[in-house]
Amino acid sequence: MQCTDIRPQHARPSQSSTVLASLDEAADFLRTLPIAEHTEPLIDVMEAADEPEMEPRAWQAFETFACAMGLRVRLVA
């Protein structure tokens, strides 16, 4: 899996699918993971992305984490 796109993502942590169309939804998704206690620094970064130019970086941070954790992430069609 190539992790280079920073648009809203479609993540499948197991058999179920969750559509993530905003950084807030992505942060909520992270809070549902069994390792949620370790995602707080990332959530802080994502929630601090209140300027349009910061959003791509926040998505990139989310995508990097998703790749590192082996989450199956793909673009929303």
Side-chain angles (χ1 to χ4, degrees):
M1 169 171 58
Q2 186 177 19
C3 298
T4 58
D5 201 311
I6 53 176
R7 293 181 290 169
Q9 306 289 310
H10 189 269
R12 283 188 296 182
S14 60
Q15 298 299 332
S16 62
S17 295
T18 304
V19 175
L20 304 173
S22 71
L23 288 173
D24 288 336
E25 288 180 9
D28 290 341
F29 168 76
L30 292 174
R31 288 184 181 100
T32 68
L33 297 176
I35 57 165
E37 65 194 62
H38 303 292
T39 65
E40 284 304 319
L42 174 56
I43 292 170
D44 291 344
V45 167
M46 293 167 63
E47 290 179 338
D50 54 0
E51 299 292 327
E53 63 272 6
M54 295 172 69
E55 286 186 25
R57 290 182 181 182
W59 275 116
Q60 185 174 22
F62 172 80
E63 183 177 4
T64 300
F65 177 82
C67 287
M69 297 308 297
L71 298 175
R72 292 177 292 205
V73 180
R74 65 181 176 89
L75 296 175
V76 175

Coordinates of all heavy atoms in Angstrom, one line a residue:
M1 N 0.9 -1.2 0.0 CA 0.0 0.0 0.0 C 0.9 1.2 0.0 O 1.8 1.3 0.8 CB -0.9 0.0 1.2 CG -1.6 1.3 1.4 SD -2.9 1.3 2.7 CE -2.0 0.8 4.2
Q2 N 0.6 2.1 -0.9 CA 1.4 3.3 -1.0 C 0.6 4.4 -0.2 O -0.6 4.6 -0.4 CB 1.5 3.8 -2.5 CG 2.4 5.0 -2.6 CD 2.6 5.3 -4.1 OE1 1.8 4.9 -4.9 NE2 3.6 6.1 -4.4
C3 N 1.3 5.1 0.7 CA 0.7 6.1 1.6 C 1.2 7.5 1.2 O 2.2 8.0 1.7 CB 1.1 5.8 3.0 SG 0.5 4.2 3.6
T4 N 0.5 8.0 0.2 CA 1.0 9.4 -0.3 C -0.2 10.3 -0.5 O 0.1 11.5 -0.6 CB 1.7 9.2 -1.6 OG1 0.9 8.6 -2.6 CG2 3.0 8.4 -1.5
D5 N -1.4 9.9 -0.5 CA -2.5 10.8 -0.7 C -3.1 11.3 0.6 O -3.2 10.6 1.5 CB -3.6 10.0 -1.5 CG -4.5 11.0 -2.2 OD1 -5.0 12.0 -1.6 OD2 -4.8 10.8 -3.4
I6 N -3.4 12.6 0.6 CA -3.8 13.2 1.9 C -5.3 13.7 1.9 O -5.7 14.5 2.7 CB -2.9 14.4 2.3 CG1 -2.7 15.4 1.2 CG2 -1.5 13.8 2.7 CD1 -1.9 16.6 1.5
R7 N -6.0 13.1 0.9 CA -7.5 13.5 0.9 C -8.2 12.7 1.9 O -7.7 11.7 2.5 CB -8.0 13.2 -0.5 CG -7.3 14.2 -1.6 CD -7.9 13.9 -2.9 NE -7.4 12.6 -3.4 CZ -7.8 12.0 -4.4 NH1 -8.8 12.5 -5.1 NH2 -7.3 10.8 -4.8
P8 N -9.5 13.0 2.2 CA -10.3 12.2 3.1 C -10.2 10.8 2.7 O -10.1 10.4 1.6 CB -11.7 12.8 2.9 CG -11.5 14.2 2.5 CD -10.2 14.2 1.6
Q9 N -10.2 9.9 3.7 CA -9.9 8.5 3.6 C -11.1 7.6 3.9 O -12.0 8.0 4.6 CB -8.7 8.1 4.5 CG -7.5 9.0 4.4 CD -6.8 8.7 3.1 OE1 -6.5 7.6 2.8 NE2 -6.5 9.7 2.4
H10 N -11.0 6.4 3.4 CA -12.0 5.4 3.8 C -11.2 4.3 4.5 O -10.2 3.7 3.9 CB -12.6 4.8 2.5 CG -13.7 3.9 2.7 ND1 -13.6 2.6 2.8 CD2 -15.0 4.2 2.8 CE1 -14.7 2.0 3.0 NE2 -15.6 3.0 3.0
A11 N -11.4 4.1 5.7 CA -10.6 3.2 6.5 C -11.4 1.9 6.9 O -12.6 2.0 7.2 CB -10.1 3.9 7.8
R12 N -10.7 0.8 6.9 CA -11.3 -0.5 7.3 C -10.4 -1.1 8.3 O -9.5 -1.8 7.9 CB -11.5 -1.4 6.1 CG -12.7 -1.0 5.3 CD -13.0 -2.0 4.2 NE -11.9 -2.0 3.3 CZ -11.8 -2.8 2.3 NH1 -12.7 -3.6 2.0 NH2 -10.7 -2.8 1.5
P13 N -10.6 -0.9 9.6 CA -9.7 -1.5 10.6 C -9.9 -3.1 10.7 O -9.0 -3.8 11.1 CB -10.1 -0.9 11.9 CG -11.5 -0.4 11.7 CD -11.6 -0.1 10.2
S14 N -11.0 -3.6 10.3 CA -11.3 -5.0 10.3 C -12.2 -5.3 9.1 O -12.0 -4.9 8.0 CB -11.9 -5.4 11.6 OG -13.1 -4.8 11.9
Q15 N -13.3 -6.0 9.4 CA -14.3 -6.3 8.3 C -15.2 -5.1 8.1 O -15.8 -5.0 7.0 CB -15.1 -7.5 8.7 CG -14.2 -8.8 8.8 CD -13.5 -9.1 7.5 OE1 -14.0 -8.8 6.5 NE2 -12.4 -9.7 7.6
S16 N -15.5 -4.3 9.1 CA -16.4 -3.1 8.9 C -15.7 -2.0 8.3 O -14.5 -1.8 8.3 CB -17.0 -2.7 10.2 OG -16.0 -2.3 11.1
S17 N -16.4 -1.1 7.6 CA -15.9 0.1 7.0 C -16.4 1.4 7.6 O -17.5 1.4 8.0 CB -16.3 0.1 5.5 OG -15.7 -1.0 4.8
T18 N -15.5 2.4 7.7 CA -15.9 3.7 8.2 C -15.5 4.7 7.2 O -14.3 4.8 6.8 CB -15.2 3.9 9.5 OG1 -15.6 2.9 10.4 CG2 -15.7 5.3 10.1
V19 N -16.4 5.6 6.8 CA -16.0 6.6 5.8 C -15.6 7.8 6.7 O -16.3 8.3 7.6 CB -17.2 7.0 5.0 CG1 -16.9 8.2 4.1 CG2 -17.6 5.9 4.1
L20 N -14.4 8.3 6.3 CA -13.8 9.5 7.1 C -13.8 10.7 6.1 O -12.9 10.7 5.3 CB -12.5 9.1 7.6 CG -12.4 7.9 8.5 CD1 -11.0 7.6 8.8 CD2 -13.2 8.1 9.7
A21 N -14.7 11.6 6.2 CA -14.8 12.7 5.3 C -14.2 14.0 5.9 O -14.2 15.0 5.2 CB -16.2 12.9 4.9
S22 N -13.8 14.0 7.2 CA -13.3 15.2 7.8 C -12.3 14.8 8.8 O -12.2 13.7 9.3 CB -14.4 16.0 8.4 OG -14.9 15.4 9.6
L23 N -11.5 15.8 9.2 CA -10.5 15.5 10.3 C -11.2 15.2 11.6 O -10.7 14.4 12.4 CB -9.6 16.7 10.5 CG -8.6 16.9 9.3 CD1 -7.8 18.2 9.5 CD2 -7.6 15.8 9.3
D24 N -12.3 15.8 11.9 CA -13.1 15.5 13.1 C -13.5 14.0 13.1 O -13.4 13.3 14.1 CB -14.3 16.4 13.3 CG -13.9 17.8 13.6 OD1 -12.8 18.0 14.2 OD2 -14.7 18.7 13.3
E25 N -14.0 13.6 12.0 CA -14.4 12.2 11.9 C -13.2 11.2 12.0 O -13.3 10.2 12.6 CB -15.1 11.9 10.5 CG -16.5 12.5 10.5 CD -17.2 12.3 9.1 OE1 -16.7 11.4 8.3 OE2 -18.2 12.9 8.9
A26 N -12.1 11.6 11.4 CA -10.9 10.8 11.6 C -10.4 10.8 13.0 O -10.0 9.7 13.5 CB -9.8 11.4 10.7
A27 N -10.5 11.9 13.7 CA -10.1 11.9 15.2 C -11.1 11.0 16.0 O -10.6 10.2 16.8 CB -10.1 13.3 15.7
D28 N -12.4 11.1 15.7 CA -13.3 10.2 16.3 C -13.0 8.7 16.1 O -13.1 7.9 16.9 CB -14.7 10.6 15.9 CG -15.2 11.9 16.5 OD1 -14.6 12.4 17.5 OD2 -16.2 12.4 16.0
F29 N -12.6 8.4 14.8 CA -12.3 7.1 14.4 C -11.1 6.6 15.3 O -11.1 5.5 15.8 CB -11.9 7.0 13.0 CG -11.3 5.7 12.5 CD1 -12.0 4.6 12.4 CD2 -9.9 5.7 12.3 CE1 -11.4 3.4 12.0 CE2 -9.3 4.6 11.9 CZ -10.0 3.4 11.7
L30 N -10.1 7.5 15.4 CA -8.9 7.1 16.2 C -9.3 6.8 17.7 O -8.7 5.9 18.3 CB -7.8 8.2 16.2 CG -7.2 8.4 14.8 CD1 -6.3 9.6 14.9 CD2 -6.4 7.2 14.4
R31 N -10.2 7.5 18.2 CA -10.7 7.3 19.6 C -11.3 5.9 19.8 O -11.4 5.5 20.9 CB -11.6 8.4 20.0 CG -10.9 9.7 20.2 CD -11.9 10.8 20.8 NE -11.2 12.0 20.9 CZ -11.2 13.1 20.1 NH1 -12.0 13.0 19.0 NH2 -10.5 14.2 20.3
T32 N -11.8 5.3 18.7 CA -12.5 4.0 18.8 C -11.5 2.9 18.7 O -11.9 1.7 19.0 CB -13.5 3.8 17.7 OG1 -12.9 3.7 16.4 CG2 -14.5 5.0 17.7
L33 N -10.3 3.1 18.4 CA -9.3 2.0 18.2 C -8.9 1.5 19.6 O -8.9 2.2 20.6 CB -8.0 2.5 17.5 CG -8.2 3.0 16.1 CD1 -6.9 3.6 15.5 CD2 -8.7 1.9 15.2
P34 N -8.5 0.2 19.7 CA -8.1 -0.4 20.9 C -6.8 0.3 21.5 O -6.6 0.3 22.7 CB -7.8 -1.8 20.6 CG -8.5 -2.1 19.3 CD -8.6 -0.8 18.6
I35 N -6.1 1.0 20.6 CA -4.9 1.7 21.1 C -5.1 3.2 21.2 O -4.2 4.0 21.1 CB -3.7 1.4 20.1 CG1 -4.1 1.8 18.7 CG2 -3.3 0.0 20.2 CD1 -3.0 1.9 17.7
A36 N -6.4 3.6 21.4 CA -6.8 5.0 21.4 C -5.9 5.8 22.4 O -5.6 7.0 22.1 CB -8.2 5.1 21.8
E37 N -5.5 5.2 23.5 CA -4.7 6.0 24.5 C -3.4 6.5 23.9 O -2.9 7.5 24.3 CB -4.4 5.2 25.7 CG -3.6 4.0 25.4 CD -3.5 3.0 26.5 OE1 -4.6 2.4 26.8 OE2 -2.5 2.7 27.1
H38 N -2.9 5.8 22.8 CA -1.7 6.2 22.2 C -1.9 7.2 21.0 O -0.9 7.6 20.4 CB -0.9 5.0 21.7 CG -0.7 4.0 22.8 ND1 0.2 4.3 23.9 CD2 -1.2 2.8 23.1 CE1 0.2 3.2 24.7 NE2 -0.6 2.3 24.2
T39 N -3.1 7.5 20.7 CA -3.4 8.3 19.5 C -3.6 9.8 19.9 O -3.8 10.6 19.0 CB -4.6 7.8 18.7 OG1 -5.8 7.9 19.5 CG2 -4.4 6.4 18.3
E40 N -3.7 10.1 21.2 CA -4.0 11.5 21.6 C -3.0 12.5 21.0 O -3.5 13.6 20.6 CB -4.0 11.6 23.1 CG -5.3 11.0 23.7 CD -6.6 11.6 23.2 OE1 -6.6 12.8 23.0 OE2 -7.5 10.8 23.0
P41 N -1.7 12.3 20.9 CA -0.9 13.3 20.3 C -1.3 13.6 18.8 O -1.3 14.7 18.4 CB 0.5 12.8 20.4 CG 0.5 11.9 21.6 CD -0.9 11.2 21.5
L42 N -1.6 12.5 18.1 CA -2.0 12.7 16.7 C -3.4 13.4 16.7 O -3.6 14.3 15.9 CB -2.2 11.3 16.1 CG -2.7 11.3 14.6 CD1 -2.0 12.2 13.7 CD2 -2.8 9.9 14.1
I43 N -4.3 13.0 17.5 CA -5.6 13.7 17.6 C -5.4 15.2 17.9 O -6.1 16.1 17.3 CB -6.5 13.0 18.6 CG1 -6.9 11.7 18.1 CG2 -7.8 13.9 18.9 CD1 -7.6 10.8 19.1
D44 N -4.5 15.5 18.8 CA -4.2 17.0 19.1 C -3.8 17.7 17.8 O -4.2 18.8 17.6 CB -3.2 17.1 20.2 CG -3.7 16.6 21.6 OD1 -4.9 16.5 21.7 OD2 -2.8 16.4 22.4
V45 N -2.9 17.1 17.1 CA -2.4 17.7 15.8 C -3.6 17.9 14.8 O -3.7 19.0 14.2 CB -1.3 16.8 15.2 CG1 -1.0 17.3 13.8 CG2 -0.1 16.9 16.0
M46 N -4.4 16.9 14.7 CA -5.5 16.9 13.8 C -6.5 18.0 14.2 O -7.0 18.7 13.3 CB -6.2 15.6 13.7 CG -5.3 14.5 13.0 SD -5.8 12.9 13.2 CE -7.4 12.9 12.3
E47 N -6.8 18.1 15.5 CA -7.8 19.1 15.9 C -7.2 20.5 15.9 O -8.0 21.5 15.8 CB -8.3 18.7 17.4 CG -9.1 17.5 17.4 CD -9.6 17.1 18.8 OE1 -8.9 17.4 19.8 OE2 -10.6 16.3 18.8
A48 N -5.9 20.6 15.9 CA -5.3 22.0 15.8 C -5.2 22.5 14.4 O -4.9 23.7 14.2 CB -3.9 21.9 16.4
A49 N -5.6 21.7 13.4 CA -5.5 22.1 12.0 C -6.7 22.9 11.7 O -7.6 22.5 10.9 CB -5.4 20.8 11.1
D50 N -6.8 24.1 12.2 CA -7.9 25.0 12.0 C -7.7 25.9 10.8 O -8.7 26.7 10.5 CB -8.3 25.7 13.2 CG -7.1 26.5 13.8 OD1 -6.0 26.5 13.2 OD2 -7.3 27.2 14.8
E51 N -6.6 25.9 10.2 CA -6.3 26.7 9.0 C -6.3 25.8 7.8 O -5.8 24.7 7.8 CB -5.0 27.5 9.1 CG -4.9 28.4 10.3 CD -5.9 29.6 10.1 OE1 -6.1 30.1 9.0 OE2 -6.4 30.1 11.1
P52 N -6.8 26.3 6.6 CA -6.9 25.4 5.4 C -5.5 24.8 5.0 O -5.4 23.7 4.6 CB -7.4 26.3 4.3 CG -8.2 27.4 5.1 CD -7.5 27.6 6.4
E53 N -4.5 25.6 5.2 CA -3.1 25.1 4.8 C -2.6 24.1 5.7 O -1.7 23.3 5.4 CB -2.1 26.3 4.6 CG -1.8 27.0 5.9 CD -2.8 28.2 6.2 OE1 -3.8 28.4 5.4 OE2 -2.6 28.9 7.1
M54 N -3.2 23.9 6.9 CA -2.8 22.9 7.9 C -3.4 21.6 7.7 O -2.9 20.5 8.1 CB -3.0 23.4 9.3 CG -2.2 24.6 9.7 SD -2.7 25.4 11.3 CE -2.1 24.1 12.4
E55 N -4.6 21.6 7.0 CA -5.3 20.3 6.8 C -4.6 19.3 6.1 O -4.6 18.1 6.5 CB -6.7 20.6 6.2 CG -7.7 21.3 7.1 CD -9.0 21.4 6.5 OE1 -9.4 20.7 5.6 OE2 -9.8 22.4 7.0
P56 N -3.9 19.6 5.0 CA -3.2 18.5 4.3 C -2.1 17.9 5.2 O -1.9 16.7 5.1 CB -2.5 19.3 3.1 CG -3.4 20.5 2.9 CD -3.9 20.9 4.2
R57 N -1.5 18.7 6.0 CA -0.5 18.1 6.9 C -1.1 17.2 8.0 O -0.5 16.2 8.3 CB 0.3 19.2 7.6 CG 1.2 19.9 6.6 CD 2.0 21.0 7.3 NE 2.9 21.7 6.3 CZ 3.7 22.6 6.6 NH1 3.9 23.0 7.9 NH2 4.4 23.2 5.7
A58 N -2.3 17.6 8.4 CA -3.0 16.8 9.4 C -3.4 15.5 8.8 O -3.3 14.4 9.4 CB -4.2 17.5 10.0
W59 N -3.9 15.5 7.5 CA -4.3 14.3 6.8 C -3.1 13.4 6.6 O -3.1 12.2 6.7 CB -5.0 14.6 5.5 CG -6.4 14.8 5.6 CD1 -7.1 16.0 5.3 CD2 -7.4 13.9 6.1 NE1 -8.4 15.9 5.6 CE2 -8.7 14.6 6.0 CE3 -7.4 12.6 6.5 CZ2 -9.9 14.0 6.4 CZ3 -8.6 12.0 6.9 CH2 -9.8 12.7 6.8
Q60 N -1.9 14.0 6.3 CA -0.7 13.3 6.1 C -0.3 12.6 7.4 O 0.2 11.4 7.4 CB 0.4 14.2 5.6 CG 1.7 13.4 5.2 CD 2.7 14.3 4.6 OE1 2.7 15.5 4.7 NE2 3.6 13.7 3.8
A61 N -0.4 13.3 8.5 CA -0.1 12.6 9.8 C -1.0 11.5 10.1 O -0.6 10.4 10.5 CB -0.2 13.7 10.9
F62 N -2.3 11.6 9.8 CA -3.2 10.5 10.0 C -2.9 9.3 9.1 O -2.8 8.2 9.5 CB -4.7 11.0 9.7 CG -5.7 9.9 9.7 CD1 -6.1 9.3 10.8 CD2 -6.1 9.3 8.5 CE1 -7.0 8.3 10.8 CE2 -7.0 8.2 8.4 CZ -7.4 7.7 9.6
E63 N -2.6 9.6 7.8 CA -2.2 8.6 6.9 C -1.0 7.9 7.3 O -0.9 6.6 7.2 CB -2.1 9.2 5.5 CG -1.8 8.1 4.4 CD -1.7 8.7 3.0 OE1 -1.8 9.9 2.9 OE2 -1.6 7.9 2.1
T64 N 0.0 8.6 7.7 CA 1.3 8.0 8.2 C 1.0 7.0 9.3 O 1.5 5.9 9.4 CB 2.3 9.1 8.6 OG1 2.5 9.9 7.5 CG2 3.6 8.5 9.1
F65 N 0.2 7.5 10.3 CA -0.2 6.6 11.4 C -0.9 5.4 10.9 O -0.6 4.3 11.4 CB -1.0 7.4 12.4 CG -1.5 6.6 13.6 CD1 -0.7 6.3 14.7 CD2 -2.8 6.0 13.6 CE1 -1.1 5.5 15.7 CE2 -3.2 5.2 14.6 CZ -2.4 5.0 15.7
A66 N -1.9 5.6 10.1 CA -2.7 4.5 9.6 C -1.8 3.4 8.9 O -2.0 2.2 9.1 CB -3.8 5.0 8.6
C67 N -0.8 3.9 8.1 CA 0.1 3.0 7.4 C 1.0 2.3 8.4 O 1.2 1.0 8.3 CB 1.0 3.7 6.4 SG 0.1 4.2 5.0
A68 N 1.5 3.0 9.4 CA 2.4 2.4 10.4 C 1.6 1.3 11.2 O 2.2 0.4 11.7 CB 2.9 3.5 11.3
M69 N 0.3 1.6 11.5 CA -0.4 0.6 12.3 C -1.0 -0.5 11.4 O -1.7 -1.4 12.0 CB -1.5 1.4 13.0 CG -1.0 2.4 14.0 SD 0.2 1.7 15.2 CE -0.7 0.4 16.0
G70 N -0.8 -0.5 10.1 CA -1.3 -1.5 9.3 C -2.8 -1.4 9.0 O -3.5 -2.4 8.7
L71 N -3.4 -0.2 9.2 CA -4.8 -0.1 8.9 C -5.0 0.0 7.4 O -4.2 0.6 6.7 CB -5.4 1.2 9.5 CG -5.3 1.4 11.0 CD1 -5.7 2.7 11.5 CD2 -6.1 0.3 11.7
R72 N -6.0 -0.7 6.9 CA -6.3 -0.7 5.5 C -7.0 0.6 5.2 O -8.2 0.8 5.6 CB -7.1 -1.9 5.1 CG -6.3 -3.2 5.2 CD -7.1 -4.3 4.8 NE -8.1 -4.5 5.9 CZ -8.7 -5.6 6.2 NH1 -8.4 -6.7 5.6 NH2 -9.6 -5.7 7.2
V73 N -6.4 1.5 4.5 CA -6.9 2.9 4.2 C -6.9 3.0 2.7 O -5.9 2.7 2.0 CB -6.1 4.0 4.9 CG1 -6.6 5.3 4.5 CG2 -6.0 3.7 6.4
R74 N -8.0 3.5 2.2 CA -8.1 3.8 0.7 C -8.9 5.1 0.6 O -9.7 5.5 1.4 CB -8.7 2.7 -0.1 CG -10.1 2.4 0.2 CD -10.6 1.2 -0.6 NE -11.9 0.8 -0.3 CZ -13.0 1.3 -0.8 NH1 -12.9 2.2 -1.8 NH2 -14.2 0.9 -0.5
L75 N -8.8 5.7 -0.6 CA -9.5 7.0 -0.9 C -11.0 6.7 -1.0 O -11.4 5.7 -1.5 CB -9.0 7.6 -2.2 CG -7.5 8.0 -2.2 CD1 -7.1 8.5 -3.6 CD2 -7.3 9.1 -1.2
V76 N -11.8 7.8 -0.6 CA -13.2 7.7 -0.9 C -13.4 8.0 -2.4 O -12.8 8.9 -2.9 CB -13.9 8.9 -0.1 CG1 -15.4 8.9 -0.4 CG2 -13.7 8.6 1.4
A77 N -14.2 7.1 -3.0 CA -14.4 7.3 -4.4 C -15.3 8.4 -4.8 O -16.1 8.8 -4.0 CB -15.0 6.0 -5.0

